[in-house]
Amino acid sequence: EPHIGHLKVYSVGDAVAHFHRRTGRRVLHPMGYDAFGLPAENHAIKTGQHPRVATDAAIAEFQRQFREWGISIDWTREFGTHEPRYYRWTQWIFLQLFKHGLAYQKEAAVNWDPVEETVLANEQVVDGRGERSGALVEVRQLKQWFFRITDYAERLLADLDTIRWPEHVKTMQRNWIGRSEGAEVVFRCEDVGIDYPVFTTRPDTLFGATFFVMAPEHPDVLRLAEGTEHEDDVRAYINHALTTDKQLRGDVDKPKTGVPLGHTVTNPVNGEQLPMYVADYVLMEYGTGAIMAVPAHDERDYAFAQAYDLPVRRVIEGPDDELPYMGDGPLVNCGPRFDGMHNREALGEIVRWLEREGKGHASVNYRLRDWLVSRQRYWGTPIPIIHCPACGAVPVPESDLPVLLPDVEDYKPRGRSPLATAADWVNVTCPSCGGPAQRETDTMDTFVDSSWYFLRYCDANNDDAPWDPAAIGMWMPVDQYIGGVEHAILHLLYARFFTKALVDLGHLPADIREPFAALFTQGMILRDGDKMSKSKGNVVSPSTIVDRYGSDTARAYILFIGPPDQDADWSDSGAEGMYRFLGRLWRTAAEAAEELPDDPVPDIDAARPDDERLLRKVHWAIDKVTSDMSGRFNFNTAIAAVMELLNEITPAKRGDAAPGSVRFAIGTAASLLFPFAPHTAADAYHLLTGERVWEQPWPVADPAFLETDSFELVLQVNGKVRDRVQAPSGASRDELLALARDTPRMHHYLDGHEVVKEIVVPGKLVNVVVR
RNA sequence: GCGGGCGUGGUGGAAUCGGUAGACACGCCGGCUUUAGGUGCCGGUGGCGCAAGCCAUGGGGGUUCGAGUCCCUCCGCCCGCACCA
């Protein structure tokens, strides 16, 4: 069911869409449903009902409420990602990536729930425990499908500079990609004759390395220990490390543990033999899964050295004797060649020396890992691959797409995908050799579905291709993307990767680099300063609000409550204030339509004072709302401007203004309010003019009414406001000074004092500095 | 620990380029309409002070004729990442 966050995001989006339409742009404002995934699947496991039933019911409810809210969607382009006409092309994209080596299979550590006997998706692991069983999740090695997003790490990082996104989202993506510059350095184990490269950001500390550590998952660890006195210890340590839940193992404050491997490696810079260890503070996923340990200049290595009584050798001088020391300084204990050299300078020198000696090279490492896309789950897009004993992984021919999701009896995963039970579906002939073969039974991560839907919107009903490149060329990139910050990393990174990969493969126009030229992340609606949640019992649903106040009040209030990128507290009395305002606007329009003759609007030269004052306010409001909507999302101040305008239209304020002026003012107020409260505004406008406001161009402010022939001059003495006086707009500096010095109040403050300085800000103020 | 953001009346917020702090709204107070309540309409509302005036944008300091806005420093809150070598 839609929640209040949906109401907010579509209130923002619809305001933007309406505004741009009426300024003459063609606007594509689509709607779709990211329908595969866990909610419908869990419902199916519980009830035995096909997930399609729950999904369709949810979609129907969304559609009902979207129509009730009156958001201006192009419904001809609507789709759900679970429909074969859509996922056919998700599969097609998978095949393109597969063909070019961007989709591949490899053994990987995945989350295993020992109670449910099933693999879990990452999002089902909460605080290291299985979502439903509550059991500590283990790590298992299984063959999985990946997308090679790491190939795009550099471009995903660099192109962030080309898009208009909130800085904090860009920062989160930069941190997630995690680029580190350093060097790969080779440490050789002479006992077994194998070179072990390590990645380090600190090659300047190479001379301080006193031991060498490998991750428990490192494939060579057991082999190295075999036949040594440490074999049993190592085996036990690995078992323990692999069965400890990830959360616990990753705790920074956990004491360092590890066991020796019974071998040494050679430090390439000085030939020293460094003892080898296995320790769980080294991660297999980052770098090479092995590190050189420099306890004098790294906190973790230092803690490990302390725990196991290993030598600590300082190689960078610091202000005191304290270790570990992470700062900069001149090298010591590094031999005559480097001693005394500043460590930042030595860093490059040592890398160049390693390169000459063939013992290492400059290197860049990323935190980003390849995207694991296979899920042992039912409710997702089937992976279009056939496994043949003779030919290996064979792509399903494009002409056979879509690979339809088969019906099964039991939706619960039992260590393998529920699809594996659909024998008729699984067993096929190999498209390559014609021999017996089996379908891939994993489905795709739902983030795959949502990584290209914006492309499909451009050509949603194309049955022959995922899209016509001409349609993509016309609409892409998305001019304005709107969503929650919770998508800052996963979805927004995956979509960028897809777009770049599809351009590279020639399926998208070459000049497209990014999917979303501008991004807006809206803040949450809170209740009493808290997130709304069922457990707190403080949820306000859109349907409750809309039933009570109507959709215009709900939409306009959510936009009026504050800047839309900030979190905001829902207030019933605040919403009532918006309800009163909309009612006042409508009644004012209805009364004017009935009582005031439809006279022409007076010209600026012919306008009487009351007309002029009212018309100036109208054009001020047009100017204010237009600038608040142009490139900015200042809906709150835009709506406030319309409120100010309506306050000027009250009988007491408008005085003797002509009927034509009053009608024009009310009609303009309705026209300006239309993007935020479309039903009320359109009806008010129609009552008054007989026209459809959405067919009217956006109002344009008349400069003649924006310029004023006088202004309020602020008079300051020593920076404090002491008086105000009307001054002619074009007045010179001297004229303004003369005005400033001659008011009774200014005389009071100036007489008898020595004037030190006079500052004049034309059109604004005069500040007289006295002693 | 690293990175990002925020702090203004009783409340949500406004102040777009260093130039009138508090627009607009909620709430509250008073009045009119009403048998009454609600609705509607009108007026008031940062604090202190009889007033002149003074004080006020998390605290302290600085730059400037002038600081909510720029700089330094401290405090508090929120978000993201975190044994990433």
Side-chain angles (χ1 to χ4, degrees):
Chain A
E1 216 181 303
H3 57 73
I4 200 155
H6 291 110
L7 184 58
K8 179 164 178 176
V9 74
Y10 297 123
S11 299
V12 170
D14 208 31
V16 172
H18 277 309
F19 174 71
H20 286 297
R21 271 189 209 108
R22 290 182 56 206
T23 58
R25 292 193 169 89
R26 296 183 65 179
V27 175
L28 173 44
H29 189 208
M31 180 61 73
Y33 310 92
D34 188 15
F36 274 137
L38 296 176
E41 180 163 351
N42 288 341
H43 186 261
I45 291 168
K46 210 160 40 182
T47 64
Q49 195 182 44
H50 198 286
R52 195 177 296 118
V53 177
T55 302
D56 288 347
I59 288 175
E61 180 58 18
F62 270 88
Q63 288 167 329
R64 188 188 71 76
Q65 293 205 31
F66 289 157
R67 285 166 193 277
E68 194 172 64
W69 301 347
I71 48 178
S72 59
I73 296 299
D74 180 350
W75 295 107
T76 67
R77 296 169 190 266
E78 184 190 29
F79 56 78
T81 58
H82 66 307
E83 297 173 39
R85 66 184 176 114
Y86 181 84
Y87 72 65
R88 168 187 182 179
W89 302 113
T90 308
Q91 292 170 335
W92 179 86
I93 292 169
F94 184 98
L95 293 179
Q96 308 314 307
L97 296 175
F98 178 75
K99 267 195 246 168
H100 292 86
L102 291 172
Y104 67 97
Q105 273 185 299
K106 75 168 178 193
E107 285 250 325
V110 296
N111 303 304
W112 174 261
D113 185 324
V115 172
E116 299 245 2
E117 287 193 74
T118 173
V119 168
L120 294 182
N122 280 336
E123 53 269 30
Q124 284 188 295
V125 180
V126 180
D127 292 332
R129 290 172 182 275
E131 188 181 49
R132 285 196 305 282
S133 70
L136 284 172
V137 167
E138 298 168 8
V139 176
R140 290 219 173 164
Q141 291 289 126
L142 287 171
K143 205 172 188 186
Q144 301 287 310
W145 283 97
F146 289 84
F147 287 162
R148 211 177 290 280
I149 191 172
T150 52
D151 273 12
Y152 286 80
E154 195 59 53
R155 282 164 62 189
L156 288 169
L157 189 65
D159 288 349
L160 286 172
D161 295 334
T162 69
I163 46 185
R164 297 192 312 279
W165 284 23
E167 207 46 51
H168 67 280
V169 175
K170 289 191 187 183
T171 303
M172 280 163 73
Q173 291 216 347
R174 284 189 193 105
N175 293 343
W176 187 263
I177 295 167
R179 184 182 198 272
S180 293
E181 281 186 26
E184 206 164 281
V185 185
V186 175
F187 288 71
R188 185 170 181 81
C189 178
E190 296 294 349
D191 301 344
V192 294
I194 295 178
D195 284 342
Y196 287 110
V198 304
F199 174 77
T200 177
T201 54
R202 297 295 305 276
D204 52 319
T205 64
L206 257 167
F207 285 91
T210 56
F211 57 102
F212 187 91
V213 192
M214 299 175 101
E217 294 88 350
H218 197 289
D220 285 4
V221 165
L222 252 185
R223 186 144 54 97
L224 281 161
E226 255 169 34
T228 74
E229 54 181 317
H230 305 292
E231 182 175 345
D232 292 344
D233 288 349
V234 169
R235 199 179 293 277
Y237 186 80
I238 295 172
N239 275 337
H240 180 255
L242 296 189
T243 51
T244 306
D245 83 277
K246 269 180 165 171
Q247 188 90 356
L248 211 68
R249 179 178 158 186
D251 189 354
V252 193
D253 299 326
K254 194 184 73 119
K256 296 281 175 286
T257 62
V259 289
L261 289 170
H263 293 279
T264 60
V265 289
T266 308
N267 186 339
V269 293
N270 56 15
E272 281 180 18
Q273 292 303 303
L274 308 180
M276 298 176 82
Y277 283 80
V278 55
D280 66 2
Y281 80 92
V282 175
L283 309 175
M284 190 62 217
E285 315 89 88
Y286 187 77
T288 62
I291 62 156
M292 66 168 196
V294 184
H297 304 291
D298 181 278
E299 281 182 351
R300 301 150 298 176
D301 297 344
Y302 186 82
F304 191 85
Q306 293 288 295
Y308 293 91
D309 208 19
L310 291 160
V312 178
R313 186 197 302 143
R314 171 165 217 146
V315 291
I316 297 174
E317 282 186 343
D320 52 39
D321 288 340
E322 203 173 315
L323 289 178
Y325 172 65
M326 266 72 70
D328 294 330
L331 297 191
V332 289
N333 298 322
C334 293
R337 190 193 173 102
F338 296 108
D339 274 349
M341 193 184 286
H342 190 267
N343 71 304
R344 290 289 142 194
E345 188 192 341
L347 197 149
E349 288 295 320
I350 289 174
V351 172
R352 275 188 286 280
W353 182 83
L354 287 167
E355 278 171 356
R356 279 198 300 275
E357 298 289 314
K359 289 171 175 171
H361 54 87
S363 171
V364 173
N365 205 50
Y366 299 93
R367 206 192 77 115
L368 183 69
R369 288 162 220 161
D370 274 344
W371 173 13
L372 196 167
V373 295
S374 38
R375 296 285 182 273
Q376 292 72 45
R377 285 291 185 165
Y378 175 75
W379 191 231
T381 303
I383 293 175
I385 292 288
I386 290 167
H387 296 285
C388 169
C391 311
V394 180
V396 171
E398 287 178 21
S399 57
D400 289 355
L401 297 182
V403 176
L404 288 171
L405 189 60
D407 287 342
V408 298
E409 296 292 316
D410 182 3
Y411 301 104
K412 189 172 176 179
R414 300 182 188 280
R416 56 175 192 168
S417 167
L419 294 187
T421 63
D424 291 351
W425 179 84
V426 170
N427 294 305
V428 290
T429 55
C430 172
S432 178
C433 70
Q438 298 195 305
R439 287 193 190 277
E440 168 68 55
T441 57
D442 284 356
T443 54
M444 290 185 224
D445 180 3
T446 53
F447 278 111
V448 179
D449 307 326
S450 59
S451 290
W452 73 281
Y453 75 104
F454 43 90
L455 300 171
R456 185 64 177 172
Y457 279 144
C458 300
D459 197 11
N461 299 302
N462 192 332
D463 288 330
D464 303 319
W467 52 73
D468 177 349
I472 299 284
M474 162 155 181
W475 292 110
M476 288 294 291
V478 175
D479 295 290
Q480 184 63 63
Y481 203 38
I482 304 169
V485 74
E486 68 273 14
H487 295 120
I489 294 170
L490 297 173
H491 165 60
L492 288 170
L493 196 63
Y494 295 151
R496 296 181 61 218
F497 160 61
F498 259 48
T499 303
K500 289 175 189 301
L502 289 165
V503 171
D504 286 355
L505 301 186
H507 298 298
L508 293 176
D511 59 334
I512 291 174
R513 289 174 68 161
E514 287 284 334
F516 314 122
L519 172 69
F520 182 84
T521 54
Q522 97 265 16
M524 267 186 307
I525 301 286
L526 310 174
R527 186 81 189 281
D528 306 321
D530 253 334
K531 272 188 186 180
M532 290 190 193
S533 74
K534 279 177 193 157
S535 59
K536 288 187 198 113
N538 62 350
V539 176
V540 185
S541 76
S543 57
T544 309
I545 297 165
V546 170
D547 285 351
R548 193 154 153 203
Y549 306 107
S551 60
D552 278 8
T553 296
R555 294 173 53 167
Y557 174 62
I558 276 182
L559 297 181
F560 180 67
I561 196 168
D565 55 334
Q566 283 175 29
D567 291 351
D569 218 62
W570 176 264
S571 146
D572 282 343
S573 53
E576 276 162 30
M578 181 57 67
Y579 181 80
R580 287 199 289 269
F581 165 67
L582 294 179
R584 203 151 54 230
L585 176 77
W586 188 89
R587 281 194 306 276
T588 306
E591 283 166 19
E594 194 153 311
E595 293 165 11
L596 299 180
D598 194 2
D599 294 344
V601 184
D603 189 79
I604 177 94
D605 301 318
R608 294 170 299 169
D610 285 343
D611 288 285
E612 187 179 326
R613 201 177 56 245
L614 182 58
L615 293 173
R616 281 195 191 286
K617 192 72 184 181
V618 174
H619 289 279
W620 167 85
I622 294 171
D623 189 56
K624 173 71 178 157
V625 175
T626 305
S627 73
D628 279 348
M629 298 289 290
S630 304
R632 277 175 289 189
F633 284 172
N634 298 352
F635 309 115
N636 53 334
T637 51
I639 294 169
V642 182
M643 289 175 168
E644 280 194 58
L645 173 56
L646 188 66
N647 288 342
E648 287 298 313
I649 298 172
T650 59
K653 289 278 178 61
R654 74 192 190 214
D656 289 330
S661 302
V662 175
R663 277 178 165 262
F664 174 64
I666 301 167
T668 304
S671 178
L672 294 173
L673 195 69
F674 174 72
F676 318 114
H679 307 90
T680 309
D683 199 43
Y685 194 86
H686 186 259
L687 283 173
L688 214 51
T689 65
E691 304 282 349
R692 296 170 165 176
V693 67
W694 61 88
E695 292 171 352
Q696 305 303 311
W698 188 253
V700 177
D702 181 346
F705 284 95
L706 293 177
E707 289 158 14
T708 52
D709 44 13
S710 72
F711 70 98
E712 190 178 59
L713 180 68
V714 171
L715 307 180
Q716 296 183 334
V717 177
N718 290 344
K720 284 191 199 293
V721 179
R722 295 305 184 187
D723 207 356
R724 295 152 214 262
V725 65
Q726 282 301 119
S729 289
S732 70
R733 189 190 146 85
D734 289 341
E735 286 168 323
L736 291 177
L737 272 175
L739 274 168
R741 288 208 205 87
D742 204 34
T743 78
R745 284 180 56 79
M746 288 299 275
H747 275 297
H748 174 254
Y749 283 97
L750 297 180
D751 292 353
H753 293 276
E754 180 194 348
V755 174
V756 178
K757 197 172 182 181
E758 288 162 322
I759 291 105
V760 180
V761 182
K764 278 260 162 74
L765 61 77
V766 170
N767 184 18
V768 183
V769 185
V770 298
R771 206 175 346 239

